[in-house]
Amino acid sequence: MTDTKGDRSKRPNKQTDPDAFLHIVDENDDGIIVRGAKIHQTGFLNSHRAIIMPTLSLRPGEEEYAVSFGVDTNEKGITLIYGRQSCDTRKMEKGKLDIGNYKYGGQEIFVIFEDVFIPNDRIFMKREIKFSGELVNRFAGFHRQSYGGCKVGVGDVLIGATSLISEYNGVEKASHIQDKLVEMVHLNETLYSCGIACSSLGFQREAGNYEMDMLLANVCKQNVTRFPYEIGRLAEDIAGGIICTLPSEADFNSEVVGSLLKKYLSTCNEVSVEDRYKVLRFIENLTMGVASVSYRTESMHGAGSPQAQRIMIRRQANLESKKKLIKEILDIN
Amino acid sequence: MTDTKGDRSKRPNKQTDPDAFLHIVDENDDGIIVRGAKIHQTGFLNSHRAIIMPTLSLRPGEEEYAVSFGVDTNEKGITLIYGRQSCDTRKMEKGKLDIGNYKYGGQEIFVIFEDVFIPNDRIFMKREIKFSGELVNRFAGFHRQSYGGCKVGVGDVLIGATSLISEYNGVEKASHIQDKLVEMVHLNETLYSCGIACSSLGFQREAGNYEMDMLLANVCKQNVTRFPYEIGRLAEDIAGGIICTLPSEADFNSEVVGSLLKKYLSTCNEVSVEDRYKVLRFIENLTMGVASVSYRTESMHGAGSPQAQRIMIRRQANLESKKKLIKEILDIN
Amino acid sequence: MTDTKGDRSKRPNKQTDPDAFLHIVDENDDGIIVRGAKIHQTGFLNSHRAIIMPTLSLRPGEEEYAVSFGVDTNEKGITLIYGRQSCDTRKMEKGKLDIGNYKYGGQEIFVIFEDVFIPNDRIFMKREIKFSGELVNRFAGFHRQSYGGCKVGVGDVLIGATSLISEYNGVEKASHIQDKLVEMVHLNETLYSCGIACSSLGFQREAGNYEMDMLLANVCKQNVTRFPYEIGRLAEDIAGGIICTLPSEADFNSEVVGSLLKKYLSTCNEVSVEDRYKVLRFIENLTMGVASVSYRTESMHGAGSPQAQRIMIRRQANLESKKKLIKEILDIN
Amino acid sequence: MTDTKGDRSKRPNKQTDPDAFLHIVDENDDGIIVRGAKIHQTGFLNSHRAIIMPTLSLRPGEEEYAVSFGVDTNEKGITLIYGRQSCDTRKMEKGKLDIGNYKYGGQEIFVIFEDVFIPNDRIFMKREIKFSGELVNRFAGFHRQSYGGCKVGVGDVLIGATSLISEYNGVEKASHIQDKLVEMVHLNETLYSCGIACSSLGFQREAGNYEMDMLLANVCKQNVTRFPYEIGRLAEDIAGGIICTLPSEADFNSEVVGSLLKKYLSTCNEVSVEDRYKVLRFIENLTMGVASVSYRTESMHGAGSPQAQRIMIRRQANLESKKKLIKEILDIN
């Protein structure tokens, strides 16, 4: 969905480079030719096909930008460029503990369309600018709804890791530790509540599909742009400074200094030093490493940056009906 | 539900005055005699009957405090004492505008039971300490759930009033005003989401009744102890200092200074000065006046003070299952 | 300083009523005649003389509004109208405990100037629009600086009252109570730090007077628009719901129900019930009663509303010099 | 200062491994032998000498842990182990842009003392447990004071970078962008105010040295555990998702895809694509990369974790004097 956007103060058709937003550059009887780029693509690399759509509501004169279609991810003319993530090259190091989370992960892709041909039967929207705003808002609504599940699951694991490290450090019974864990859970479950609420108040469209509650989906995402940061901050608080001064796995296993490190990283008797090492790396991974990309920055910008939700909240807020309430109470008019 | 509690550092049966928590003082074949007080009673004054229950989980030795029953609110031995609220006597003044909200309101009652007789057929719990904790938690759960609707409705009216006053002042288009209104809506709808979520995830008990999701009901109420304060703060911000320096209705209608006040309280051409006066008083009413009691302090303490919810969130958080998640990811154990 | 401002979306000279901002309406050899109103005047009532100045920076065409002068507060043509405050009439009730703070208080006045004559030797500014902006900003700067002392003192007393009520209730050793008191102190001392900082970085003008640091004075006041609200919220949390359901002093001393109330308001053995009553009323007074006007709403709007400080912070922020720092680090340009 | 601490629920002399806190293991006429480790050492690697001191207040029976001395950083028996930081290996990659900040940086060291001999003339404290608490508190006080300058400087550069990227993206005039920049400045200057305040209220000890105000130094550091996180969050908001999906410098300069990337990373006409690349990497560096270690986690834990400051704030708060204020106002006692 996301175009590169060029100069944000200008509309798509006023950009110096017309390709700053993906658009139709040519057409024949069999289909269209498109050019442009879609960035921040999370699942593109591990998908066979993708659906492309505009990134904003379009106006008369911007018809060539109103285009949506399906495409094979290895279609001729498509170039995928791997994005960098914090700590990405740890995945290529010899060991596995410094990766933080050696089982799971993801990767964003910069996707460039150089005159890609899209046959007619794969085109969903072609120059219908009047539907573009609704398409963007609805898709964004579904995407914002989903964050009330996605980031909450990650939050659960981070809370688990933080709880575990407090146990490993011997502080799990301190009242301020317990209180911070409660706060982490409280914030995470508030996000979950928002996800559940916009789903529960969903409704069926005439076409048969179900749609979330648009206002609450935006409220959900808006909270997602805030709470994971605070949850992460509390995790860093409880885990301790060691998450960012911990020596490397190579040192940990070194014949020269390994035993010294193991000695000094020991905490409670029943705790395995390696397990503690793993959990510390995992918390680093989620707060500063590879996974912070998806837990923090993607929480901020995925499915639209915070201001996009605020615009939608304002539109959906129905302030006029709220003014009516107060007028009725106070016999105004 | 709420007892006066005496010294909060002591259990009911260790209080200097055994009546600090309502309890059974005598019993015969037909019923029991109870003594004590229940305070912060919001609907008691306008109800025919009330259900009384313990305020905390009880332990062996505290059986006399494990008592729940129905009672007529004008039963012999019951004394009702009206509580004071901020600005309460404005309701007894000559005019009506200074009341803030002259149509709606409520009142808390201090209820004293001096050896009230409760016949057997109105007793729901008598010394069954083992059920007292569950009774308290479930009732509190339902009550905490309800705040996700109750306070949100009040919030809607406050947002309406704030939106209206910004229009009356000619500032409704200022970007910072719009942004603050969006924030008020966002916070209010987050509370609503919490109310919807703990209801949507409700389930049916074997007895046939439905129960809310206990964790999310506590999360809901915990947010209610925070957001109405911030919503109120933003309302005060937008409304302006005039909410707390506005002269009295008597002055407003005075032959001597009334016309001067009307002249200087005028804002935009199409705005009635009296309507503006009403809305300003309404916002004062909700942020500092009679209604601040229910919108602010009751949001804090109604259905249990914030710490009560935190204890429940900790109990329901299931940290062990979250630790399991991280152990699985990191191959620990 | 504060004019009534009429329609906030219009400049002074575009208002329907030209008196919405105080201005010169006539002039002779001996002085000028002014008309308009100044509102939210905190010390006016208990002062012999006052200095009047414009409320905003003025532009060409608005010369008549660029006026500053000294005036006796009982000068011919001046009308003072008492503003209402939350719970104001409690001061006129028979008892004194329900007042909350029966020793200290203040009162805002609505001051109307109906063609008041100002002799030449009392005029400080007459139509010099080019100085009006600087005058407003500097005065506001001094005023904003002062809030780092004024509201901190009130905060100290509120923290003392909250600490005392926690002792009276027998909960002062609970970890969550201690933590909330620490937070109250922390926020209050942050305000104090801001007051000290903008004073410490003050400098001497050529005229010999000292001036605060303008950026930090605005930062100080901006924090004052936030932290007293949170400090008050924590006070309400610790004090308990009783602050807004407590029966009246008349009931407390009544022959009929007084002894019952005293019995049920008792907490710890060594605590006087009346002392507890006083402290609860004091906290009500500061969070919802008369003093909430000065502790909360005046913290918000006194010396300029929050947005006024944000405008000044932006102007003083010197973003260009900060951009230079990053350009130097990154060899840009 | 910081020991590895073993099981945090146990005192130094109750640890399974007595070396969990650095201590004296032997002594002769010429000096002492010490063993243990000091971690999170920021400047150790680039210093010739270091001063070692205890990490907590010590009690009778813990005399061997009350030890402070000067030592050459390459003394016999000392082993330095490099800690890992997020994105550390980028410094070893071929290019320099992906480093984020290729001119400046730092590195934490894990320092192990294996029976290091300390001659008498370098020993400052030897078993004087009664001074250990005061030493720790005062040193921490100075350290906490310094954060009001250190992190504020970093904040200035981050604000500059964020301001610059908003210009590069063409959004610097959007009201929500301006408002967020104001908030970043406001928070950063609040930290600065705290640093200035605890310094301004400093006083001279009899020995001639100057000492900061202890309460305000702790208040300063407590704010440092919060605001850089929010400043960073706002930077991520303004910079956009591209900070964590930006392809590598190698791709950027690649013959195959470099020109495509340059085309699609262009924004406004006058903006150099490479400059934009640099600024984005710099923001990544400070929010997730190498420098997030010092800007975020060190802000949290350096000079003591948040709870350490809260304990000091409680001790310095002088709640008794605040209770006295309220008692005087209310004629209590």
Side-chain angles (χ1 to χ4, degrees):
Chain A
M1 187 168 188
T2 311
D3 291 288
T4 51
K5 294 180 184 165
D7 181 345
R8 272 77 173 158
S9 66
K10 293 180 181 157
R11 297 289 310 174
N13 58 349
K14 304 288 184 205
Q15 298 287 335
T16 307
D17 182 347
D19 305 338
F21 291 75
L22 186 140
H23 60 134
I24 301 170
V25 290
D26 206 354
E27 181 174 14
N28 58 32
D29 286 354
D30 300 328
I32 56 175
I33 313 282
V34 298
R35 194 187 303 146
K38 292 291 184 179
I39 58 171
H40 313 325
Q41 298 303 308
T42 301
F44 206 98
L45 188 64
N46 45 297
S47 301
H48 293 134
R49 294 190 176 172
I51 294 175
I52 305 302
M53 54 176 78
T55 203
L56 80 171
S57 179
L58 295 161
R59 303 175 186 167
E62 302 170 342
E63 283 78 5
E64 306 307 304
Y65 295 94
V67 59
S68 176
F69 53 85
V71 67
D72 288 349
T73 54
N74 60 352
E75 186 61 67
K76 201 184 155 216
I78 289 183
T79 303
L80 306 184
I81 306 175
Y82 219 64
R84 290 215 71 167
Q85 294 176 327
S86 168
C87 299
D88 46 11
T89 54
R90 287 201 194 174
K91 291 179 185 170
M92 306 189 308
E93 293 179 8
K94 237 176 160 181
K96 69 178 189 175
L97 297 192
D98 283 350
I99 300 173
N101 184 345
Y102 46 84
K103 284 191 191 161
Y104 303 105
Q107 183 62 42
E108 276 74 32
I109 290 292
F110 200 111
V111 184
I112 297 171
F113 292 77
E114 289 179 277
D115 297 348
V116 176
F117 174 74
I118 309 296
N120 286 328
D121 63 354
R122 294 206 176 161
I123 300 175
F124 305 129
M125 169 180 282
K126 193 173 78 179
R127 305 199 181 91
E128 293 96 337
I129 51 171
K130 69 172 174 170
F131 296 121
S132 65
E134 204 162 1
L135 176 65
V136 168
N137 287 342
R138 285 204 197 166
F139 173 76
F142 281 111
H143 198 179
R144 289 165 195 176
Q145 169 192 37
S146 76
Y147 274 75
C150 162
K151 300 305 175 195
V152 175
V154 181
D156 272 343
V157 182
L158 182 55
I159 292 167
T162 309
S163 184
L164 193 58
I165 200 68
S166 77
E167 184 189 313
Y168 285 178
N169 288 346
V171 297
E172 82 271 34
K173 281 176 190 145
S175 66
H176 74 98
I177 298 291
Q178 291 206 350
D179 194 60
K180 285 164 189 166
L181 284 166
V182 165
E183 186 64 18
M184 293 170 81
V185 170
H186 169 67
L187 293 173
N188 205 40
E189 296 296 330
T190 299
L191 297 181
Y192 181 58
S193 294
C194 293
I196 292 292
C198 69
S199 306
S200 296
L201 297 188
F203 60 98
Q204 192 171 21
R205 289 271 176 202
E206 278 178 41
N209 64 311
Y210 284 86
E211 194 173 311
M212 76 286 129
D213 182 273
M214 187 61 85
L215 172 57
L216 297 193
N218 279 280
V219 165
C220 177
K221 175 68 213 310
Q222 181 78 181
N223 281 322
V224 170
T225 69
R226 300 173 175 181
F227 295 172
Y229 286 80
E230 179 63 7
I231 294 171
R233 195 184 73 88
L234 292 168
E236 289 181 42
D237 181 348
I238 293 177
I242 190 76
I243 55 165
C244 61
T245 65
L246 194 63
S248 72
E249 184 179 359
D251 287 323
F252 191 74
N253 294 323
S254 135
E255 280 186 23
V256 185
V257 297
S259 61
L260 281 172
L261 276 180
K262 276 164 193 155
K263 169 185 169 72
Y264 285 109
L265 289 171
S266 291
T267 54
C268 309
N269 286 333
E270 64 282 12
V271 177
S272 140
V273 182
E274 187 178 298
D275 288 348
R276 186 177 176 235
Y277 189 97
K278 284 176 176 178
V279 178
L280 289 169
R281 278 282 175 248
F282 183 87
I283 296 175
E284 180 199 26
N285 174 270
L286 254 171
T287 55
M288 283 175 272
V290 171
S292 74
V293 165
S294 67
Y295 189 56
R296 287 203 0 232
T297 323
E298 192 196 311
S299 287
M300 180 65 82
H301 293 288
S305 301
Q307 190 63 10
Q309 288 112 53
R310 294 182 88 75
I311 289 167
M312 286 302 287
I313 292 171
R314 191 167 72 210
R315 280 191 203 152
Q316 305 275 332
N318 204 351
L319 291 179
E320 289 312 313
S321 81
K322 290 182 174 55
K323 286 186 199 171
K324 244 189 196 163
L325 292 174
I326 181 67
K327 284 179 176 173
E328 211 172 292
I329 291 174
L330 296 179
D331 298 318
I332 291 178
N333 279 359
Chain B
M1 188 169 185
T2 312
D3 291 288
T4 52
K5 294 180 185 164
D7 181 345
R8 271 77 172 160
S9 67
K10 292 179 181 158
R11 296 289 309 175
N13 58 349
K14 302 290 184 204
Q15 298 286 334
T16 306
D17 182 348
D19 305 338
F21 291 75
L22 186 142
H23 62 133
I24 301 170
V25 290
D26 207 354
E27 180 173 15
N28 59 32
D29 285 355
D30 300 327
I32 56 174
I33 312 283
V34 299
R35 195 187 301 146
K38 291 293 184 179
I39 58 170
H40 312 326
Q41 297 305 306
T42 301
F44 206 98
L45 188 64
N46 46 297
S47 302
H48 293 135
R49 294 191 178 169
I51 295 174
I52 305 301
M53 55 175 75
T55 202
L56 80 172
S57 179
L58 295 161
R59 303 173 186 170
E62 301 169 341
E63 285 78 6
E64 304 308 303
Y65 296 93
V67 59
S68 176
F69 53 85
V71 67
D72 289 350
T73 54
N74 61 352
E75 186 60 66
K76 203 182 153 217
I78 289 183
T79 302
L80 306 184
I81 306 175
Y82 219 64
R84 290 214 72 169
Q85 293 176 328
S86 169
C87 300
D88 45 12
T89 54
R90 287 201 193 173
K91 291 179 185 171
M92 305 190 307
E93 293 178 8
K94 240 174 157 181
K96 68 176 190 177
L97 297 192
D98 282 351
I99 299 175
N101 185 343
Y102 46 85
K103 283 191 191 160
Y104 303 105
Q107 182 63 43
E108 275 75 32
I109 290 293
F110 200 111
V111 184
I112 298 172
F113 293 77
E114 288 179 276
D115 296 349
V116 175
F117 174 73
I118 309 297
N120 285 328
D121 63 354
R122 295 206 176 160
I123 300 175
F124 305 129
M125 170 179 283
K126 193 172 77 179
R127 306 201 178 90
E128 292 97 337
I129 51 171
K130 70 173 173 169
F131 296 121
S132 65
E134 203 161 3
L135 176 64
V136 168
N137 287 343
R138 286 204 195 166
F139 173 77
F142 281 110
H143 198 179
R144 288 165 195 175
Q145 169 193 36
S146 76
Y147 274 75
C150 162
K151 300 306 176 196
V152 175
V154 181
D156 272 344
V157 181
L158 182 55
I159 292 166
T162 308
S163 184
L164 194 58
I165 200 69
S166 77
E167 183 190 315
Y168 285 179
N169 288 345
V171 297
E172 82 271 34
K173 280 175 192 148
S175 68
H176 74 97
I177 298 291
Q178 291 205 350
D179 194 61
K180 285 165 189 166
L181 283 167
V182 165
E183 185 65 18
M184 292 171 82
V185 170
H186 168 67
L187 293 174
N188 204 41
E189 297 296 331
T190 299
L191 297 181
Y192 182 58
S193 295
C194 292
I196 292 293
C198 69
S199 305
S200 295
L201 298 187
F203 60 98
Q204 192 171 21
R205 288 271 175 201
E206 278 178 41
N209 63 312
Y210 284 85
E211 195 173 310
M212 76 284 131
D213 182 274
M214 187 62 84
L215 173 57
L216 297 192
N218 278 280
V219 165
C220 176
K221 176 65 213 314
Q222 181 77 181
N223 281 322
V224 170
T225 69
R226 300 173 175 180
F227 295 173
Y229 285 79
E230 179 63 6
I231 294 171
R233 195 183 74 87
L234 292 167
E236 289 182 42
D237 181 348
I238 294 176
I242 191 75
I243 56 164
C244 61
T245 66
L246 194 63
S248 71
E249 183 180 359
D251 287 323
F252 191 73
N253 294 323
S254 135
E255 282 186 20
V256 185
V257 297
S259 61
L260 281 172
L261 277 180
K262 276 164 194 156
K263 170 185 169 73
Y264 284 109
L265 289 172
S266 291
T267 54
C268 308
N269 286 334
E270 64 283 9
V271 176
S272 141
V273 182
E274 188 178 296
D275 287 350
R276 187 179 176 233
Y277 189 98
K278 282 177 176 177
V279 177
L280 290 169
R281 279 283 175 247
F282 183 87
I283 295 174
E284 179 199 29
N285 174 271
L286 254 171
T287 56
M288 284 174 272
V290 171
S292 74
V293 165
S294 67
Y295 189 55
R296 287 204 356 234
T297 323
E298 193 195 310
S299 287
M300 179 65 83
H301 293 289
S305 301
Q307 190 62 12
Q309 287 112 55
R310 294 182 88 75
I311 289 167
M312 286 302 289
I313 292 171
R314 191 168 72 210
R315 279 191 204 151
Q316 305 274 332
N318 204 351
L319 291 178
E320 289 313 312
S321 81
K322 291 183 172 55
K323 286 187 200 168
K324 244 189 194 164
L325 293 173
I326 181 66
K327 285 179 175 172
E328 211 173 292
I329 291 174
L330 297 178
D331 299 316
I332 292 178
N333 277 0
Chain C
M1 188 169 188
T2 312
D3 291 288
T4 51
K5 294 179 184 167
D7 181 344
R8 273 77 173 160
S9 68
K10 292 180 180 157
R11 296 289 309 174
N13 58 349
K14 304 289 184 205
Q15 298 287 334
T16 307
D17 182 347
D19 306 337
F21 291 76
L22 186 142
H23 62 133
I24 302 171
V25 289
D26 207 354
E27 180 173 15
N28 58 33
D29 286 354
D30 300 327
I32 55 174
I33 312 283
V34 299
R35 195 188 300 146
K38 291 291 184 179
I39 57 169
H40 313 325
Q41 298 304 307
T42 300
F44 207 98
L45 188 64
N46 46 296
S47 302
H48 294 289
R49 293 189 178 172
I51 295 173
I52 304 302
M53 55 176 76
T55 203
L56 80 173
S57 180
L58 295 160
R59 303 174 186 169
E62 301 170 341
E63 285 78 6
E64 305 308 305
Y65 295 94
V67 59
S68 176
F69 53 85
V71 68
D72 288 349
T73 54
N74 60 352
E75 186 60 69
K76 202 182 155 219
I78 289 183
T79 302
L80 307 183
I81 306 175
Y82 219 65
R84 291 214 71 170
Q85 293 176 327
S86 169
C87 299
D88 44 12
T89 53
R90 286 199 194 175
K91 292 178 183 171
M92 305 189 308
E93 293 179 8
K94 238 175 158 181
K96 68 176 189 177
L97 297 192
D98 282 351
I99 300 174
N101 184 346
Y102 47 84
K103 284 190 190 160
Y104 303 104
Q107 182 63 41
E108 276 75 31
I109 289 293
F110 200 112
V111 185
I112 297 171
F113 293 76
E114 288 178 277
D115 296 349
V116 175
F117 174 74
I118 309 296
N120 286 329
D121 63 354
R122 296 208 175 159
I123 299 175
F124 305 128
M125 168 179 284
K126 195 173 77 179
R127 304 199 181 92
E128 292 96 337
I129 51 170
K130 69 172 174 170
F131 297 121
S132 65
E134 202 161 2
L135 176 65
V136 167
N137 286 343
R138 286 205 196 165
F139 173 77
F142 281 111
H143 198 178
R144 287 165 196 176
Q145 169 192 36
S146 76
Y147 274 76
C150 162
K151 300 305 177 197
V152 175
V154 181
D156 272 343
V157 182
L158 182 55
I159 292 166
T162 308
S163 184
L164 194 58
I165 200 68
S166 78
E167 184 189 314
Y168 286 179
N169 288 345
V171 297
E172 82 271 35
K173 282 175 190 145
S175 66
H176 73 99
I177 298 291
Q178 292 205 349
D179 194 62
K180 284 165 189 166
L181 283 166
V182 165
E183 185 65 19
M184 293 170 81
V185 170
H186 169 67
L187 293 173
N188 205 40
E189 297 295 332
T190 299
L191 297 181
Y192 182 59
S193 295
C194 292
I196 292 294
C198 67
S199 306
S200 296
L201 298 187
F203 60 98
Q204 192 171 22
R205 289 272 177 201
E206 280 178 39
N209 63 312
Y210 284 84
E211 195 173 310
M212 77 284 129
D213 183 272
M214 188 61 84
L215 172 58
L216 297 193
N218 279 279
V219 165
C220 176
K221 176 64 214 313
Q222 181 78 182
N223 281 321
V224 171
T225 69
R226 300 173 176 181
F227 295 173
Y229 285 78
E230 179 63 6
I231 293 171
R233 194 184 74 88
L234 291 168
E236 289 181 42
D237 181 348
I238 293 176
I242 190 75
I243 55 165
C244 61
T245 64
L246 195 62
S248 72
E249 183 179 359
D251 287 323
F252 191 72
N253 294 323
S254 137
E255 282 187 21
V256 185
V257 297
S259 61
L260 281 173
L261 277 180
K262 276 164 193 155
K263 170 185 168 73
Y264 284 110
L265 289 171
S266 291
T267 53
C268 309
N269 285 333
E270 64 282 9
V271 177
S272 141
V273 182
E274 187 177 297
D275 287 350
R276 187 178 177 232
Y277 189 97
K278 283 176 175 178
V279 178
L280 289 169
R281 278 282 175 249
F282 183 87
I283 295 175
E284 180 199 26
N285 174 270
L286 254 170
T287 54
M288 283 175 272
V290 171
S292 74
V293 165
S294 66
Y295 189 56
R296 285 199 3 232
T297 323
E298 192 195 311
S299 288
M300 179 65 82
H301 293 290
S305 301
Q307 189 62 10
Q309 289 112 52
R310 294 182 87 76
I311 289 167
M312 286 302 288
I313 293 171
R314 191 168 71 209
R315 280 192 202 150
Q316 305 275 330
N318 204 351
L319 291 179
E320 289 312 312
S321 81
K322 291 182 174 55
K323 285 187 200 170
K324 243 188 195 162
L325 292 174
I326 180 67
K327 284 177 176 173
E328 211 173 293
I329 292 174
L330 296 179
D331 298 317
I332 291 178
N333 278 357
Chain D
M1 190 170 186
T2 311
D3 292 287
T4 50
K5 294 180 186 165
D7 181 345
R8 273 78 172 157
S9 67
K10 292 181 181 157
R11 297 288 311 172
N13 59 349
K14 303 290 182 204
Q15 297 287 335
T16 306
D17 182 347
D19 306 338
F21 292 76
L22 186 141
H23 62 133
I24 302 170
V25 290
D26 207 354
E27 179 173 15
N28 59 32
D29 286 353
D30 300 327
I32 55 175
I33 313 282
V34 299
R35 194 187 303 147
K38 292 291 184 180
I39 57 170
H40 312 326
Q41 298 305 306
T42 301
F44 207 99
L45 189 64
N46 47 298
S47 302
H48 295 288
R49 292 190 178 172
I51 295 175
I52 304 302
M53 54 176 77
T55 203
L56 80 172
S57 180
L58 295 161
R59 303 175 185 166
E62 301 170 341
E63 285 78 6
E64 304 308 303
Y65 296 93
V67 60
S68 177
F69 52 86
V71 68
D72 289 349
T73 53
N74 60 353
E75 186 60 68
K76 199 182 157 219
I78 288 182
T79 303
L80 307 184
I81 307 175
Y82 220 63
R84 291 213 72 168
Q85 294 175 326
S86 168
C87 299
D88 45 12
T89 54
R90 287 201 194 174
K91 293 178 185 171
M92 305 189 308
E93 293 179 9
K94 239 175 158 180
K96 69 177 187 176
L97 297 192
D98 283 350
I99 299 174
N101 184 344
Y102 47 83
K103 284 192 191 160
Y104 303 104
Q107 183 62 43
E108 276 73 31
I109 290 293
F110 200 111
V111 185
I112 297 171
F113 293 77
E114 289 178 278
D115 297 348
V116 176
F117 174 74
I118 309 296
N120 285 328
D121 63 355
R122 296 206 176 162
I123 300 175
F124 305 128
M125 170 180 283
K126 192 173 79 181
R127 304 200 181 91
E128 293 96 336
I129 51 170
K130 68 173 174 169
F131 297 120
S132 64
E134 205 162 1
L135 176 65
V136 168
N137 287 341
R138 286 203 196 166
F139 173 77
F142 282 111
H143 198 180
R144 289 166 195 176
Q145 169 192 36
S146 76
Y147 275 75
C150 161
K151 300 306 174 194
V152 175
V154 181
D156 272 344
V157 182
L158 182 55
I159 292 167
T162 308
S163 184
L164 194 58
I165 199 69
S166 77
E167 184 189 313
Y168 286 178
N169 288 345
V171 297
E172 83 272 34
K173 280 174 190 146
S175 67
H176 74 99
I177 298 291
Q178 291 205 351
D179 195 62
K180 283 165 190 167
L181 283 167
V182 165
E183 185 65 18
M184 293 170 81
V185 171
H186 169 67
L187 293 173
N188 205 40
E189 296 296 331
T190 299
L191 296 181
Y192 181 58
S193 295
C194 291
I196 292 293
C198 69
S199 305
S200 296
L201 298 188
F203 60 98
Q204 193 171 22
R205 288 273 177 200
E206 279 178 40
N209 64 311
Y210 284 84
E211 194 173 311
M212 76 284 129
D213 182 273
M214 188 60 84
L215 172 57
L216 298 192
N218 279 280
V219 165
C220 176
K221 175 67 213 310
Q222 181 77 181
N223 281 322
V224 171
T225 68
R226 300 174 176 180
F227 295 173
Y229 286 79
E230 179 63 6
I231 293 171
R233 194 185 73 89
L234 291 167
E236 289 181 42
D237 181 348
I238 293 176
I242 190 76
I243 55 166
C244 61
T245 65
L246 195 63
S248 72
E249 183 179 359
D251 287 321
F252 190 73
N253 295 323
S254 136
E255 283 187 21
V256 185
V257 296
S259 60
L260 280 173
L261 276 181
K262 276 164 192 153
K263 170 185 169 72
Y264 285 109
L265 288 171
S266 292
T267 54
C268 309
N269 285 334
E270 65 281 13
V271 177
S272 139
V273 182
E274 186 177 298
D275 288 348
R276 186 177 177 235
Y277 189 97
K278 283 177 176 178
V279 178
L280 289 169
R281 279 280 175 249
F282 183 86
I283 295 175
E284 179 199 28
N285 174 271
L286 255 171
T287 55
M288 283 175 273
V290 171
S292 74
V293 165
S294 67
Y295 189 55
R296 283 197 7 231
T297 323
E298 192 195 311
S299 287
M300 179 65 82
H301 293 289
S305 302
Q307 189 62 10
Q309 289 113 52
R310 295 183 87 74
I311 289 167
M312 286 302 287
I313 292 172
R314 191 167 72 209
R315 279 191 203 151
Q316 305 274 333
N318 204 351
L319 291 179
E320 289 312 313
S321 81
K322 290 183 174 54
K323 285 186 201 171
K324 245 189 193 161
L325 293 174
I326 180 67
K327 284 178 176 174
E328 211 172 292
I329 291 174
L330 296 179
D331 299 317
I332 291 178
N333 278 359

